[in-house]
Amino acid sequence: MRRDEVRERLVSTVRSGRPVVGAGAGTGLSAKAAEAGGVDLLIIYNSGRYRMAGRGSLAGLLPYGDANAIVVEMAGEVLPVVRDTPVLAGVCGTDPFRLMGSFLDELVRLGFSGVQNFPTVGLYDGTFRENLEETGMGFGLEIDMIRLAADRGMFTAPYAFDPDQAAELARAGADVLVPHVGLTAKGAIGAKTTMSLDQAAAAVQAMRDAAVAVNPEILVLCHGGPIAEPEDAQYVLRHTEGVVGFFGASSMERLPTETAIRAQAETFKAMSL
């Protein structure tokens, strides 16, 4: 699906008074079910596979596999079952073993409509993050990847972690900005340490304002941390200005799966002989 077509769909959704909802999909079934539920965007990346294998989403940031190779492999599972929803690839923009332009061209050939920057060094902090930046594996490469994708006519929906990054991604041509406020809470393998919903709303607002100051047309979705359930996302939308939707990964597939399978198993176990 072309970039302008994806954007036109999202803008139309917002104008109709409905939120834009993006969904991470770690399996073909997750993608198929999310599309049936009416999501506007599907995003696949390595953490989806780990998450649906019962591991924490942060496994996608550790050396358990080649993130960019995994998303290509997942394409064969997800793209054939999606009928009418744009699918974005999570791209590790800091990958030092790929010519990024050529890799983006390959993703277009496979059928992806666009990209998101994941795995992302934005989730690292402290001395380790400083060392990544100092040794040529910093967030700037992710911004460069978004710029290359936009130049190729791909739709882009990158994560940002602070207002400066939000502004730079807007300059790079981001169509959608996704302020990321941390690893998603709740459930069996969700984060226990996270900010409050009010803090999340303030952080999302600051990033939204920075991006819109550069590009007034950019669309902004909230994601992560305490924004785990529909009521959490609704709270953030009501306590921010100009945020037009939500992107859920763990929220969209891990938490519902945990709840539904456990409840179904408990119901079967409640039978009597």
Side-chain angles (χ1 to χ4, degrees), residues 74-227:
M74 292 173 71
E77 179 177 347
V78 172
L79 292 176
V81 301
V82 176
R83 299 302 175 207
D84 191 42
T85 305
V87 182
L88 312 187
V91 174
C92 180
T94 60
D95 187 343
F97 297 100
R98 275 178 174 76
L99 295 172
M100 193 51 62
S102 298
F103 182 60
L104 293 173
D105 292 338
E106 179 185 357
L107 295 179
V108 172
R109 181 185 60 79
L110 288 172
F112 285 103
S113 297
V115 296
Q116 185 175 64
N117 56 326
F118 195 92
T120 171
V121 300
L123 284 167
Y124 290 120
D125 55 16
T127 302
F128 182 63
R129 172 62 180 279
E130 291 176 1
N131 290 163
L132 286 173
E133 297 287 345
E134 292 164 353
T135 54
M137 291 175 280
F139 195 83
L141 292 177
E142 299 181 27
I143 296 172
D144 291 343
M145 182 273 291
I146 294 299
R147 183 178 295 106
L148 285 172
D151 289 345
R152 282 167 167 73
M154 302 178 77
F155 189 84
T156 59
Y159 285 131
F161 298 86
D162 62 45
D164 289 341
Q165 292 175 0
E168 286 301 315
L169 287 163
R171 290 189 189 96
D175 298 291
V176 166
L177 185 82
V178 186
H180 196 308
V181 294
L183 180 66
T184 302
K186 302 183 180 178
I189 52 176
K192 302 298 186 291
T193 303
T194 187
M195 64 180 68
S196 69
L197 276 172
D198 286 327
Q199 290 171 321
V204 169
Q205 187 70 65
M207 286 184 262
R208 180 264 173 195
D209 292 347
V212 169
V214 174
N215 176 14
E217 302 302 317
I218 197 168
L219 302 175
V220 179
L221 315 180
C222 59
H223 171 77
I227 317 172

